Amino acid sequence: MLTTREDGWGSLRDCTWILALAEYRVTGLDRQEDGRLVIELERHCVRRYVCSGCSRRTGRVRDAKVRTWDDLPWAEHPVTLRYPLRRLWCRQCGIRTERVGFADPHARLTRCFRQRIGLDCQSMPTSHAAMRHAVSWGTARRAERAFLDAWDRTRPKHRPRHLGADEIQRGKGQQFWTVLSDLVRGEVIGLAKDRSEDSLRTLLTTRLEARQRAAVEAVCTDMHRPYLNAVADALPAATVVLDKFHVLQHAGAALEDVRRHEFFRAGPVMRRFGRGKRWLLLRRWKTVRGSKREELRALFGANRRLFKAYVLREELDHLWTYTTRDGVANFLWGWLEALRWQRLPEMEKLGDTLVKHFDGIAAFCDHAVRFGVVESLNTTIKGVIRRGRGMKDETMLLLKLKWATARPIRSSKDLAKFLYLNLHSNQ
Ligand SMILES: [Zn+2]
């Protein structure tokens, strides 16, 4: 045990200053064999202790038991704080432990240390963060969970004007998540297994308070019938706006059907010619360049009907440039007219779908839903799911998704808010 200057250490006052814990002072330092530094703490000046149950201060101490917390390292040395934690007689709660300022109840890490690990976990794998801070994987994961929980709990609850309900494929095969998001702020709100009516209804009713639900003007979703039912059920006042990219996906699928029909049933020569052109056909003309454009031209030269279907798909893009329902109706009418004598049953089927869902498609005229946000959210979500492959814990995945889409750190100032807890609380 080193307590004075004669051992060549700085004064304990300096150590108190370095540690910068409000209301606590260092009473001793202990060097251990494995390089760990154990710092003894005691309360500074204050004689009354805070009850962990009701936050009242009391001076009636029952007993004390030494407890330890891991803290940020000093240079290369891992640090453990030791402090005799009091048990108090509280008038309100009976026997309770005191609350310490530097850590959460029951936590084995200080809040500062937890923040550091939790933040690192957002930009690197948990195993790397654990190695960096010399803790076990489980400790790092728990720290991350506590960090994200604390962040999510203290966030203001916004009232979303536009919601997005979408399905995300989970791994291979036919397994899906339903993701509920706030499209104005571009944040994930909730996550549920399956893509059934029930899962979306549960999300809408449990993840959003009545106050928040009342603010919803529009819900952007695809033509998936269970979703439409769930929205009509849980949010009867909201308008359904069909997602542009999903409609265009249907158009792409129709085009693909035309290709199959035209080339694969037209003998082996044509079949060989049409093979492997699927991804080329799904691309937009303006994004196709050089030799690929020639390839497309050759394909269209061989089959006029495929060309027609491609042009019709390309034209469908213009649907979302109109600002009135009449404009959309006129355009759709013209589009169906152009289709009339082409003998393209696959595209005609698409036309029927568009007419059937006209209200939902044209609803974007009244509610300017940000379709781009839907897409960028999907990309972010897929990235997080891919990185966290094998993540069994659904709550954790949701917290990670919230963090990744809300992007709470956009400047060095934001970062400082997450990192320097003690120094700030001291001021
Ligand atoms: Zn109490």
Side-chain angles (χ1 to χ4, degrees):
M1 172 75 56
L2 306 161
T3 49
T4 50
R5 272 173 191 279
E6 62 252 32
D7 295 300
W9 287 71
S11 72
L12 293 175
R13 266 180 114 160
D14 291 339
C15 293
T16 303
W17 179 80
I18 292 171
L19 208 57
L21 297 178
E23 298 189 352
Y24 297 86
R25 68 191 164 84
V26 177
T27 58
L29 297 169
D30 195 4
R31 283 184 287 199
Q32 296 199 330
E33 299 279 303
D34 57 354
R36 183 171 284 276
L37 181 65
V38 177
I39 302 176
E40 310 272 347
L41 288 182
E42 193 40 272
R43 289 292 291 268
H44 191 53
C45 303
V46 191
R47 283 282 142 259
R48 289 155 77 80
Y49 303 92
V50 183
C51 164
S52 61
C54 62
S55 302
R56 282 198 190 126
R57 282 180 184 261
T58 173
R60 298 165 69 210
V61 176
R62 183 173 182 267
D63 55 6
K65 198 174 173 186
V66 172
R67 283 219 18 215
T68 58
W69 294 264
D70 283 351
D71 194 24
L72 293 169
W74 286 21
E76 292 280 279
H77 302 282
V79 167
T80 301
L81 304 181
R82 271 165 67 91
Y83 171 74
L85 196 70
R86 270 73 172 189
R87 279 204 290 178
L88 313 169
W89 292 106
C90 176
R91 198 170 297 172
Q92 192 87 15
C93 327
I95 301 171
R96 280 292 177 117
T97 53
E98 74 169 304
R99 177 182 297 163
V100 288
F102 51 82
D104 284 342
H106 306 294
R108 312 295 305 176
L109 307 177
T110 63
R111 211 171 286 139
C112 252
F113 197 31
R114 185 197 74 195
Q115 293 291 108
R116 225 28 100 86
I117 297 173
L119 205 55
D120 275 358
C121 284
Q122 302 318 307
S123 53
M124 61 176 80
T126 308
S127 54
H128 291 198
M131 179 57 81
R132 247 173 77 114
H133 295 283
V135 293
S136 69
W137 187 91
T139 307
R141 180 34 78 81
R142 277 193 298 279
E144 183 190 5
R145 175 81 178 260
F147 165 80
L148 288 174
D149 258 338
W151 165 74
D152 191 41
R153 221 179 314 118
T154 51
R155 231 149 48 107
K157 283 203 161 114
H158 299 288
R159 303 178 72 203
R161 215 151 40 82
H162 296 161
L163 287 178
D166 204 354
E167 71 212 16
I168 294 281
Q169 199 165 11
R170 186 165 53 144
K172 284 179 181 166
Q174 291 295 301
Q175 283 190 308
F176 291 90
W177 299 100
T178 298
V179 180
L180 184 68
S181 45
D182 176 348
L183 292 186
V184 177
R185 308 187 70 85
E187 292 178 15
V188 169
I189 298 175
L191 184 72
K193 276 186 177 141
D194 284 341
R195 49 171 176 172
S196 63
E197 193 178 325
D198 259 351
S199 52
L200 182 58
R201 193 188 300 117
T202 317
L203 273 183
L204 287 172
T205 46
T206 56
R207 290 284 165 192
L208 296 173
E209 296 166 4
R211 183 182 78 85
Q212 291 175 299
R213 279 202 298 278
V216 177
E217 290 169 13
V219 183
C220 180
T221 171
D222 62 358
M223 298 168 194
H224 192 48
R225 179 47 62 187
Y227 282 177
L228 299 179
N229 291 343
V231 171
D233 195 20
L235 300 168
T239 315
V240 169
V241 181
L242 289 180
D243 179 27
K244 173 183 172 183
F245 293 94
H246 276 106
V247 175
L248 287 177
Q249 238 171 35
H250 281 275
L255 180 62
E256 163 65 9
D257 282 347
V258 174
R259 177 185 74 105
R260 270 200 201 141
H261 191 93
E262 293 299 316
F263 285 93
F264 281 65
R265 281 159 218 161
V269 179
M270 286 304 264
R271 192 175 306 165
R272 208 167 311 129
F273 190 66
R275 179 162 295 159
K277 300 289 176 9
R278 182 175 174 195
W279 300 110
L280 190 60
L281 270 178
L282 285 180
R283 280 167 70 180
R284 289 287 125 89
W285 180 253
K286 64 179 179 219
T287 65
V288 181
R289 304 236 177 275
S291 66
K292 289 287 169 196
R293 243 182 205 196
E294 288 310 312
E295 228 174 278
L296 262 186
R297 280 210 184 93
L299 201 64
F300 295 149
N303 191 303
R304 294 304 290 174
R305 297 216 302 192
L306 186 66
F307 174 61
K308 257 288 164 193
Y310 188 82
V311 170
L312 282 167
R313 203 273 315 256
E314 288 281 282
E315 274 181 354
L316 208 53
D317 250 356
H318 295 294
L319 191 79
W320 286 272
T321 58
Y322 293 91
T323 50
T324 61
R325 275 169 181 268
D326 286 346
V328 176
N330 278 338
F331 172 84
L332 202 60
W333 184 249
W335 192 84
L336 290 169
E337 277 292 290
L339 185 65
R340 181 160 286 178
W341 306 109
Q342 302 300 331
R343 285 176 294 134
L344 289 165
E346 297 85 356
M347 296 307 266
E348 275 162 23
K349 222 170 96 191
L350 173 68
D352 288 345
T353 317
L354 294 182
V355 170
K356 203 172 110 197
H357 290 282
F358 176 78
D359 271 338
I361 293 171
F364 74 88
C365 299
D366 308 326
H367 302 280
V369 171
R370 295 161 71 200
F371 293 121
V373 175
V374 182
E375 283 313 284
S376 74
L377 270 178
N378 273 350
T379 314
T380 311
I381 291 168
K382 277 177 191 152
V384 172
I385 290 179
R386 196 169 49 243
R387 246 181 297 148
R389 59 186 161 269
M391 194 184 284
K392 292 266 169 14
D393 188 349
E394 213 172 300
T395 323
M396 186 72 196
L397 182 60
L398 174 61
L399 282 171
K400 275 186 101 81
L401 285 178
K402 280 183 175 176
W403 176 275
T405 50
R407 295 190 299 127
I409 296 179
R410 300 181 193 214
S411 66
S412 46
K413 230 178 179 173
D414 295 335
L415 183 64
K417 262 188 247 158
F418 280 98
L419 283 183
Y420 304 112
L421 298 175
N422 283 328
L423 291 177
H424 282 277
S425 65
N426 259 2
Q427 282 160 9

